[in-house]
Amino acid sequence: MPKAGPRSQRKAAELADFHRLAGKSCDAKARAMSDAFSSQTALVLFSGGQDSTTCLAWALSRFARVETLGFDYGQRHAIELACRDRLLDGIKGLRADWAARLGESHTLSIPTLAAVSETALTRDVAIAMGADGLPNTFVPGRNLVFLTFAAALAYRRGISHIVGGMCETDYSGYPDCRDETVRAMQAALSLGMAKQFELHTPLMWIDKAATWKLAHDLGGAGLVDLIREQSHTCYLGERGARHDWGYGCGECPACSLRAKGWNEYVAGR
């Protein structure tokens, strides 16, 4: 392999400095956020997957009380809903303060979402790319519906902070995962309910490898192992095959992203 020249070495050094300074900035921001939200309650969109479990740990490290919300919308990987109780039990066992902060677990049924969706997540069809450049696992409006119902529940329970695992850094290209979409929803929900909501997306700007690292930073090896063993990501609902990163078919886009992130995380430790 050719040896890197001075210019490449300089760029690598600058990039390392950027990440070091960004890390310090994020740490300082996280401490400030923790202080600011230490007496408040958050509602976490909790599907039972890797991302939402990491977001739950993130919220538990910042808020005085945390409630969770899952959705049954006719998804073919509904097994993720069954994983939530095991994950919550595991979270409680990791840290006593987290156990004390965990509040109610909610589930809302939205069968209409599947009824109006002809997608690979709500129908037994092969996963493929559509003519619009999006995978047919895209459920139109899903996150918009989720956030609207979450805000309605939060409104009734006096909660202003909603946490979701949306990410546009290492994802399948879903337009409702973009930061621009989430910011627009925050404005619309706040206006439409005359209540100031804050939508938190701690994974928005990090890739899957960094998501694994964040889980370790928040809850150590115990949280990483809990996510590997008990969370569910596979679009096909496959729990039979055990991989280093957890259970899944190993072929669908969700499994591929999770496996790639795990391998990069392990290589970088």
Side-chain angles (χ1 to χ4, degrees):
M1 181 177 293
K3 190 174 181 180
R7 186 175 181 181
S8 296
Q9 292 173 344
R10 185 169 62 254
K11 281 190 174 181
E14 290 173 351
L15 186 60
D17 285 340
F18 169 79
H19 285 298
R20 176 177 56 80
L21 293 172
K24 287 184 177 180
S25 175
C26 288
D27 290 343
K29 183 178 181 182
R31 286 193 295 272
M33 288 175 63
S34 180
D35 292 341
F37 304 147
S38 60
S39 63
Q40 300 184 45
T41 301
L43 178 65
V44 177
L45 274 61
F46 183 53
S47 67
Q50 174 192 359
D51 292 348
S52 66
T53 305
T54 305
C55 286
L56 176 56
W58 181 90
L60 287 167
S61 70
R62 285 162 172 77
F63 292 89
R65 183 175 176 81
V66 177
E67 300 186 13
T68 58
L69 172 61
F71 295 96
D72 182 355
Y73 61 97
Q75 63 268 48
R76 62 192 287 193
H77 58 299
I79 191 171
E80 66 179 359
L81 297 175
C83 294
R84 292 180 305 158
D85 286 343
R86 294 191 295 272
L87 285 165
L88 290 173
D89 287 341
I91 286 282
K92 292 175 184 176
L94 284 176
R95 287 177 47 171
D97 59 327
W98 286 3
R101 293 175 185 176
L102 264 176
E104 285 83 349
S105 174
H106 310 273
T107 302
L108 294 179
S109 180
I110 317 177
T112 305
L113 192 57
V116 300
S117 300
E118 290 288 342
T119 78
L121 285 195
T122 55
R123 297 285 187 276
D124 187 11
V125 296
I127 296 175
M129 291 299 295
D132 58 359
L134 289 172
N136 64 352
T137 52
F138 173 56
V139 181
R142 180 177 60 167
N143 282 339
L144 308 183
V145 172
F146 285 0
L147 288 171
T148 300
F149 273 90
L153 177 64
Y155 183 96
R156 179 171 64 83
R157 299 189 64 77
I159 298 171
S160 299
H161 299 277
I162 299 171
V163 183
M166 298 80 176
C167 168
E168 66 168 85
T169 303
D170 199 356
Y171 72 133
S172 298
Y174 300 161
D176 59 355
C177 286
R178 297 178 301 185
D179 184 64
E180 185 177 10
T181 302
V182 175
R183 294 307 117 213
M185 282 299 295
Q186 176 174 292
L189 294 170
S190 298
L191 285 170
M193 299 190 194
K195 177 182 176 68
Q196 187 58 51
F197 290 107
E198 187 163 356
L199 306 186
H200 303 271
T201 53
L203 310 184
M204 181 60 72
W205 306 116
I206 65 176
D207 60 19
K208 282 292 184 287
T211 300
W212 283 109
K213 183 180 184 303
L214 177 59
H216 187 275
D217 291 344
L218 291 166
L223 180 58
V224 171
D225 289 342
L226 178 67
I227 291 172
R228 291 170 68 196
E229 295 299 327
Q230 301 298 346
S231 72
H232 183 85
T233 298
C234 178
Y235 283 158
L236 302 184
E238 175 62 56
R239 293 290 291 177
R242 171 63 163 82
H243 308 271
D244 289 343
W245 43 266
Y247 292 89
C249 70
E251 302 293 335
C252 73
C255 283
S256 296
L257 279 174
R258 180 163 167 163
K260 176 176 177 289
W262 172 259
N263 292 332
E264 292 173 354
Y265 163 68
V266 170
R269 282 191 297 187

